[in-house]
Amino acid sequence: MCGIAGIFHRDPSRPIEPQLLVNMAAIQHHRGPDGFGYKVLENRGVGFSHARLSIIDLNESRGRQPFCAHEEKLMLTANGELYDYQRIRAQLTADGADFQTKSDSEIILHLFPRMGLEKTLEQLRGEFAFALYDNSDDCLYLVRDRFGIKPLYWTQTDNGIVFGSELKVLFAHPEVKREIDEEGLFHQLIQVMVPGSTAFKGIHQVKPGHIVKIKRSRNGLNVEQHKYWDIDFPQADEHDINPNEDYYIEAVREKLLEAVQLRLTADVPVGAYLSGGIDSCSILGLSQAVSQDPVKAFTIGFDDKEYDETPIAKEMADKVGADQHVLSLSAEHLYENFERTIWHTERTIYNTLGVAKMLMSQEVNRVNYKVVLTGEGSDELFAGYPSFRNDMFLYGLSDLDSQQRKIWKSSLEHNNSLFRGAMLPKEEYNSKAISSFVGFTPTCLQPWLHCDSIALSLLTNDRRQQLQDYDPGAAIADTFDLSMLQGRHPLDKAQYVWIKTMLEGQILTWGGDRVDMANSMEARPAFLDHHLAEFATKVPPQLRIKGPVEKYVLKEAMKGLLPETLYKRQKFAFMAPPAHRDEKKWQALMTLVNEFASSEQINAAGLLDAKAVAAMIQQQGDSSEHHDRVQMDAVINHVIGVQIMHQKFVATDVPAQAAEQAKSLGWHA
C-alpha cells in the first residue's frame, strides 16, 4: 500500500520539476513512510512519484517505484495489493519475463505488453489504483479497482493532467485550483455524493472499475473514460426459484475462505478488525483457523452501552483464541480528533465512527502492525443493512401476506430505532429521477436526500440561487448504468445503488482507506474479492434475506465459527454514539462549532449562511424527536466538516505546505 502521484503535460517538451513530484509524495507521507521514489521521462512530459508502505518485498531499494520497463517505454506507479501474484509471476517468468523486484505490482509491466490493458485487468485480483504511461501510444492510463477500495483523483490544468492518491496531492501542485463548488458543497451537506465527483471544482475521481485514458494529439489532450467491470446481477427471472441451500452455503464458505487466505499473504504480521458483527467475526474466525499463532484482533469500544459491541467481540475472540486488543473511546477522544480526520478524509463525515476508525488505525500502528483484514463489503453483497430488508419487504416479496409484511417491517423498525434518520429514513422520501431509473427510491438514499431542503437553507444566498433548479437525485441517477438495473430483482437494484454510492463514497472512504492509511495501515476487505462478489450476485434474493433474517446464506456458511449470541442476533449497524445522546458529547460538538463554525469564520469562508447555521443548531437543541436529532447531528457534523475543508485546502497554501513537509522529511530530488 502506498501513495502515488504524477504529472502528464500537454506539451511533451515542457519540463517537469522533480522536486515538485517529491513534494507531492511528501504530503502523503502517511500513506508511505518507508521511502519515496520519483522518475521524470525526459522530453516526454511525464513524471511519476511514489510514497511507499513496504508490505511485499521489504528491500528498500529493490521495491522503490516508479517502475520502468522495455527501455523506459513503460512507466508504472501503483498503490494497493495484487493477490495470487506469485502464480502469475511464475507463469510470466517461464514465458521469458525478467523481473527486477519481488513486488506484486511489477506483474502489470509484464502483462500489459503481452495482452493489453483489458486482459491485464482480468488477471488482477485485489485492491489497486495505478498510473501507467505507454510511450508507444504516448498516453497515460489511470486505473482504479473494481469497487473503489483504493482512491485515485485527477484534474486538468492549463498545461496538462495532475493525479494522485489524495486531493492534497493534487493541491500540492501550484497550477491546481482549490475551490469548493456549489454542487460539491451541497452534496457534502447531504452526505451522499455524486459518484466520480469531489467537493472541489474540476477535481474528479477515477470511478470504480474504470480506466481513464489520456492521449496526446495535435489538438491537445484527449480524455476518455471506460468501464472495464461492474457488479452484474442476473435478470430477475434467471434467479433460482427453488434453490439448493446447501450448494450456495458451501460455495460462499469456500470462496470466502479462499479470499481470506490470499489476503493473509504479507511479509509483515497481519491482524484483523473485530466488531460485534458477523462480517468481522467471520473474517477473524477463518483467519484464526488457518493461522498457526493467535491472530491479533483490534476492537473499538464506545462509552455508550447501546452502541458498544465489545462484549460480543470479546466472546468471539475468546471462542477462536484470538489475541484481542480493545481501544475504548469517549466523546473527548472523538471530537478532539475530528479536525485531523477531515484532513485525511477530504470530505465531510456524518458520524464520528470515521474518527474512531482513524484512532484505531493509529493504535494498530502503535503496536507495530501494518496490515489488518476487515469485514467491509459483506453487507453490500449479502444484503445486511436494514435499508435492504426494508426494500425487500416493500418491493421484493409480491406474494407476501400483508399481515406478515407488517409484522416484519415493524420488527425491523423497532430493532433499528437507534438509526432512524441515518440508516433508515424518518419518513418516506421519493426522488422522481432515481425512481425512474430504479423503479423506486432505495431506502439507503432516502435519509440523505431528505436533507436537501435543510442543506439548501444553509447555503449563502448566491449559492442557493445557483442551485435553485439543481436535482441531487437526478445527478446521482445519471451516473448509473441503466443496463445494470433493467429487469433486476428489487433487492439486486437496492444493493447495486448502495454499491455505487454509499460503499465507494462512505464505507471505503471515511470508513476505510483514508482513515486507515492516515496512520500507514493497510486494510484488506476480503468480502470485496471480485470472485466472491461475482458469485454473491447469483445467490437468490430469498437466501440473502430469508424471512426477517438478513445475510442468511452467510450466517449459515459461518455458523460453526460464530457464537450463538451473534448467530441469532439481527444486524446492528456499527456507528459511534451521536452527540445528542448526552450532554458531554453535545458540549464537545459545540466546542467544535465554536472553533470552526462561528459566525465570523462562516462569513470569512463565504460558503454558508451564518444565521441559518445558528438557527439550525438552536433547533437541534430544542428538538425532542430522536430521529430528527440523529439527522441534525449529521448535518452539524457536515457543516463543521465543510468549514475545516475550506480552512485546510482553500485558505492554506498547500503547495508551500507540501514543500515544507518534504524538507522536514529530508526528501529531496
Side-chain angles (χ1 to χ4, degrees):
M1 288 294 175
C2 313
I4 66 175
I7 300 166
F8 185 59
H9 280 157
R10 176 181 290 106
D11 178 0
S13 66
R14 182 181 177 85
I16 292 174
E17 182 188 350
Q19 186 59 44
L20 176 55
L21 289 171
V22 174
N23 295 349
M24 292 167 72
I27 202 168
Q28 56 181 329
H29 168 261
H30 49 277
R31 296 190 71 89
D34 296 331
F36 76 99
Y38 69 93
K39 179 74 175 178
V40 175
L41 298 183
E42 297 299 334
N43 299 314
R44 300 186 207 174
V46 60
F48 293 170
S49 64
H50 186 264
R52 186 179 185 220
L53 180 63
S54 53
I55 289 170
I56 302 291
D57 190 0
L58 305 184
N59 184 301
E60 182 180 344
S61 59
R62 188 172 61 191
R64 182 178 289 119
Q65 294 186 36
F67 294 145
C68 288
H70 306 289
E71 299 178 339
E72 296 190 344
K73 291 179 181 176
L74 293 176
M75 184 165 68
L76 172 77
T77 185
N79 167 34
E81 295 293 351
L82 304 177
Y83 306 111
D84 200 25
Y85 73 95
Q86 299 100 324
R87 177 186 60 81
I88 296 171
R89 187 176 62 196
Q91 289 178 338
L92 289 166
T93 302
D95 189 43
D98 182 16
F99 283 83
Q100 303 302 307
T101 76
K102 294 291 185 180
S103 166
D104 53 315
S105 300
E106 194 185 354
I107 63 172
I108 296 170
L109 287 175
H110 297 279
L111 289 169
F112 178 76
R114 286 168 167 79
M115 57 183 63
L117 189 54
E118 291 279 346
K119 292 293 183 182
T120 294
L121 290 168
E122 290 178 11
Q123 299 291 313
L124 303 186
R125 185 173 187 175
E127 50 268 9
F128 52 83
F130 66 83
L132 178 67
Y133 172 69
D134 178 11
N135 183 60
S136 63
D137 201 23
D138 196 19
C139 72
L140 171 69
Y141 296 100
L142 301 177
V143 184
R144 195 170 178 204
D145 66 60
R146 295 166 178 86
F147 286 102
I149 301 167
K150 295 288 102 186
L152 186 53
Y153 300 91
W154 66 279
T155 191
Q156 192 159 2
T157 69
D158 291 340
N159 291 306
I161 298 292
V162 179
F163 69 85
S165 293
E166 299 188 2
L167 290 172
K168 60 183 70 71
V169 178
L170 277 62
F171 294 155
H173 194 301
E175 294 178 9
V176 175
K177 296 176 182 177
R178 310 189 310 277
E179 181 183 355
I180 296 175
D181 69 12
E182 287 75 23
E183 293 173 5
L185 171 61
F186 183 66
H187 282 275
Q188 295 297 304
L189 293 173
I190 66 169
Q191 171 65 22
V192 61
M193 294 172 63
V194 177
S197 75
T198 70
F200 295 88
K201 189 170 290 185
I203 311 290
H204 315 283
Q205 295 192 64
V206 179
K207 293 179 183 178
H210 276 68
I211 301 163
V212 176
K213 180 181 180 181
I214 305 111
K215 182 173 173 56
R216 286 196 189 103
S217 69
R218 291 180 180 178
N219 298 321
L221 296 177
N222 181 40
V223 180
E224 298 177 355
Q225 298 188 54
H226 169 66
K227 183 173 70 172
Y228 70 86
W229 188 88
D230 206 346
I231 189 77
D232 188 2
F233 290 93
Q235 292 289 306
D237 58 8
E238 293 174 356
H239 275 305
D240 206 341
I241 298 175
N242 297 301
N244 180 335
E245 287 193 11
D246 290 341
Y247 163 74
Y248 289 102
I249 290 167
E250 290 168 10
V252 166
R253 184 186 300 130
E254 176 187 340
K255 292 182 182 299
L256 180 57
L257 174 58
E258 180 184 43
V260 168
Q261 285 181 297
L262 286 171
R263 282 158 182 78
L264 289 171
T265 302
D267 295 335
V268 296
V270 179
Y273 275 163
L274 176 64
S275 68
I278 69 167
D279 315 327
S280 62
C281 288
S282 298
I283 298 298
L284 176 65
L286 292 173
S287 299
Q288 189 62 75
V290 300
S291 301
Q292 297 293 334
D293 301 311
V295 174
K296 193 80 168 177
F298 297 93
T299 299
I300 296 171
F302 295 118
D303 58 356
D304 186 325
K305 289 183 178 180
E306 288 196 75
Y307 288 81
D308 183 40
E309 297 191 294
T310 303
I312 294 179
K314 185 179 187 306
E315 188 177 346
M316 179 66 195
D318 291 344
K319 176 179 171 64
V320 300
D323 176 16
Q324 189 180 27
H325 185 111
V326 179
L327 176 65
S328 297
L329 298 172
S330 65
E332 298 95 312
H333 293 111
L334 297 174
Y335 292 103
E336 286 172 5
N337 287 277
F338 195 96
E339 177 186 1
R340 183 159 66 102
T341 302
I342 296 297
W343 190 79
H344 284 290
T345 61
E346 300 174 334
R347 64 147 298 171
T348 62
I349 61 178
Y350 82 87
N351 182 262
T352 50
L353 176 61
V355 185
K357 293 199 72 176
M358 190 196 70
L359 291 173
M360 176 52 91
S361 71
Q362 179 177 287
E363 187 70 3
V364 171
N365 180 286
R366 187 187 70 79
V367 299
N368 298 315
Y369 271 73
K370 288 183 174 182
V371 183
V372 296
L373 270 62
T374 75
E376 277 86 12
S378 168
D379 289 313
E380 284 73 15
L381 297 181
F382 298 105
Y385 292 116
S387 61
F388 293 146
R389 268 179 289 158
N390 194 52
D391 291 335
M392 183 72 158
F393 298 160
L394 288 174
Y395 313 111
L397 298 169
S398 57
D399 58 345
L400 182 64
D401 174 79
S402 60
Q403 183 61 27
Q404 187 63 60
R405 188 192 307 272
K406 184 177 179 180
I407 292 171
W408 285 352
K409 197 167 185 305
S410 175
S411 172
L412 170 68
E413 291 172 353
H414 173 75
N415 289 321
N416 290 276
S417 58
L418 280 177
F419 310 112
R420 278 192 70 200
M423 299 297 290
L424 289 172
K426 60 181 184 178
E427 58 190 51
E428 187 178 353
Y429 181 92
N430 178 55
S431 163
K432 291 181 180 179
I434 291 176
S435 293
S436 69
F437 266 71
V438 182
F440 56 95
T441 301
T443 301
C444 66
L445 296 183
Q446 291 186 34
W448 309 121
L449 293 175
H450 199 246
C451 291
D452 61 349
S453 59
I454 300 171
L456 204 60
S457 72
L458 297 177
L459 302 179
T460 58
N461 185 60
D462 59 330
R463 292 176 184 272
R464 194 162 55 246
Q465 291 298 319
Q466 291 182 55
L467 291 172
Q468 193 169 10
D469 299 321
Y470 180 70
D471 182 348
I476 292 167
D478 284 346
T479 67
F480 298 154
D481 184 340
L482 190 57
S483 70
M484 296 289 107
L485 290 163
Q486 289 175 328
R488 268 56 173 201
H489 187 278
L491 181 60
D492 296 345
K493 292 179 179 182
Q495 289 178 232
Y496 180 87
V497 169
W498 176 282
I499 288 168
K500 291 299 167 184
T501 56
M502 307 305 286
L503 174 63
E504 188 271 345
Q506 171 183 307
I507 305 296
L508 298 177
T509 304
W510 65 257
D513 172 270
R514 309 307 292 280
V515 290
D516 296 324
M517 291 296 280
N519 294 292
S520 313
M521 197 279 291
E522 172 182 307
R524 297 178 171 181
F527 281 103
L528 293 180
D529 181 280
H530 75 281
H531 292 264
L532 172 60
E534 288 171 352
F535 180 79
T537 63
K538 297 176 176 62
V539 174
Q542 68 268 34
L543 292 186
R544 279 175 261 153
I545 297 177
K546 186 174 183 178
V549 180
E550 82 289 342
K551 291 190 287 196
Y552 172 79
V553 67
L554 178 63
K555 281 186 175 180
E556 294 304 309
M558 297 292 108
K559 185 176 180 178
L561 290 173
L562 303 174
E564 186 176 3
T565 310
L566 181 57
Y567 171 73
K568 292 181 177 179
R569 180 194 189 208
Q570 273 201 22
K571 164 72 180 179
F572 186 86
F574 187 42
M575 286 172 58
H580 73 268
R581 293 282 296 177
D582 64 48
E583 186 61 26
K584 194 174 183 181
K585 289 183 175 62
W586 180 252
Q587 289 306 318
L589 180 62
M590 289 303 100
T591 298
L592 279 178
V593 169
N594 293 333
E595 186 176 354
F596 297 106
S598 67
S599 294
E600 184 180 25
Q601 290 165 317
I602 287 176
N603 290 333
L607 301 171
L608 305 172
D609 183 309
K611 289 183 178 179
V613 170
M616 176 196 65
I617 293 171
Q618 180 62 46
Q619 180 184 350
Q620 169 72 326
D622 295 340
S623 176
S624 60
E625 292 289 345
H626 173 75
H627 52 264
D628 285 330
R629 302 194 74 184
V630 167
Q631 191 168 75
M632 297 307 290
D633 262 14
V635 177
I636 295 170
N637 284 332
H638 290 319
V639 165
I640 298 168
V642 162
Q643 287 292 113
I644 293 172
M645 287 167 62
H646 179 270
Q647 181 192 97
K648 298 295 183 184
F649 305 121
V650 178
T652 297
D653 185 344
V654 183
Q657 183 184 21
E660 182 60 34
Q661 174 79 337
K663 183 179 179 181
S664 68
L665 292 169
W667 287 14
H668 301 296

